[in-house]
Amino acid sequence: MRLIVVFLLFTGALIGQDNGLTIVGKISDCKTNQGVQGVLMRVVGSDQSIIEVTTDSSGNYLFTNCFRKETKYLLGTKVDNIVGEHKGLKYGSCTYGWCDDYCFFNSSRRYEFVFSDSTLNHHFDDCLVSYYQHINFPEFNFKKNSSDLFATEWLGLKNVDSIIDCFVGLLMLRKNWVIELSANVSSDEELKVELSKERAKKIYQMLISKGIEQDRLVLNVYKDEIYNLAKVNKENDDNRSVSISVLRKDYISPNSTK
């Protein structure tokens, strides 16, 4: 409602003027280059006027015939932290709220321009940085010669149950991710193969118990025949963990209704 009122107030002051100035552009995801729908584009004039439009399904926007001559304007995206509908999700003991697919940090620049007879058209493209590009996955640490978890930290959380729940919440929103659980052992640990399997299986079972489909989880465990002693001695002495990475983003659940 506010957007309509502002637009009518401004256009009402321009009745009888054929300005001719057109501002066009596209807002896209910086990583995928795909257009982002629903971004609110705002133009603020030196005369205190405000005009707003939203990008279409392809990320395109258009301002036309609504500017005063010799007036300075500032164009940019009007966002706080994210763009688009923010549904959010918290799971279990997780205190961190994940946002949905339309979730971007505002990385847009601001553009200044002046409408004059010599500049009747401007084209401004920009991109937004996906929220998930800034997320490092949790790493679960274990006691020596054991599959017992000990305190770790992720997103400012230090409780293992909360970290697991937050990670489950993320996977609930990113339903097409297939993740790899890579189990690590240190050079001074015993029964490395068995220990590696136990650690990976523990995280695997925790995720399965909270509703993550097993076909989305791939285990990568230590194999004695390819063990590199040089790497162990130099890099792996204190690495007793299960680390996480995304293998694919094309998973479709057999239970999906879409």
Side-chain angles (χ1 to χ4, degrees), residues 75-258:
L75 168 68
T77 56
K78 180 180 177 292
V79 292
D80 297 319
N81 294 313
I82 58 173
V83 171
E85 185 179 3
H86 182 193
K87 297 178 181 178
L89 184 145
K90 293 181 180 179
Y91 175 85
S93 60
C94 176
T95 59
Y96 192 95
W98 296 109
C99 53
D100 61 16
D101 287 344
Y102 299 104
C103 195
F104 295 88
F105 282 109
N106 178 22
S107 62
S108 298
R109 295 177 295 276
R110 297 293 187 265
Y111 300 99
E112 292 184 353
F113 62 94
V114 177
F115 171 41
S116 67
D117 292 333
S118 61
T119 57
L120 293 180
N121 294 285
H122 290 280
H123 190 111
F124 297 122
D125 292 338
D126 213 334
C127 67
L128 297 173
V129 177
S130 172
Y131 186 75
Y132 298 105
Q133 294 176 33
H134 293 265
I135 300 300
N136 295 317
F137 295 117
E139 185 172 274
F140 298 98
N141 300 307
F142 295 82
K143 297 177 181 178
K144 185 176 179 180
N145 291 318
S146 171
S147 59
D148 294 333
L149 284 162
F150 70 88
T152 185
E153 184 173 351
W154 186 52
L155 302 174
L157 303 169
K158 296 183 179 180
N159 180 276
V160 172
D161 290 335
S162 296
I163 292 172
I164 284 285
D165 283 352
C166 280
F167 186 57
V168 168
L170 173 59
L171 294 181
M172 286 179 174
L173 286 172
R174 312 306 284 184
K175 298 181 185 297
N176 63 329
W177 283 0
V178 174
I179 66 168
E180 181 179 60
L181 304 175
S182 297
N184 304 297
V185 294
S186 59
S187 60
D188 57 353
E189 289 186 298
E190 302 173 356
L191 301 174
K192 295 180 175 60
V193 175
E194 293 80 0
L195 190 58
S196 174
K197 291 179 180 179
E198 288 178 7
R199 287 171 175 172
K201 187 177 180 180
K202 181 159 190 173
I203 303 302
Y204 173 88
Q205 291 177 333
M206 292 175 75
L207 295 175
I208 293 294
S209 69
K210 293 178 180 295
I212 302 303
E213 296 172 88
Q214 63 181 12
D215 289 341
R216 299 181 61 192
L217 306 176
V218 176
L219 302 186
N220 178 20
V221 299
Y222 165 81
K223 295 180 177 62
D224 191 52
E225 63 270 17
I226 61 171
Y227 198 47
N228 186 323
L229 292 178
K231 180 178 180 181
V232 171
N233 292 334
K234 293 180 180 179
E235 301 177 13
N236 215 34
D237 284 339
D238 297 320
N239 191 359
R240 300 185 289 269
S241 66
V242 170
S243 56
I244 295 169
S245 59
V246 177
L247 282 182
R248 306 195 319 272
K249 296 182 179 181
D250 59 359
Y251 179 75
I252 299 177
S253 172
N255 302 317
S256 176
T257 57
K258 295 183 179 180

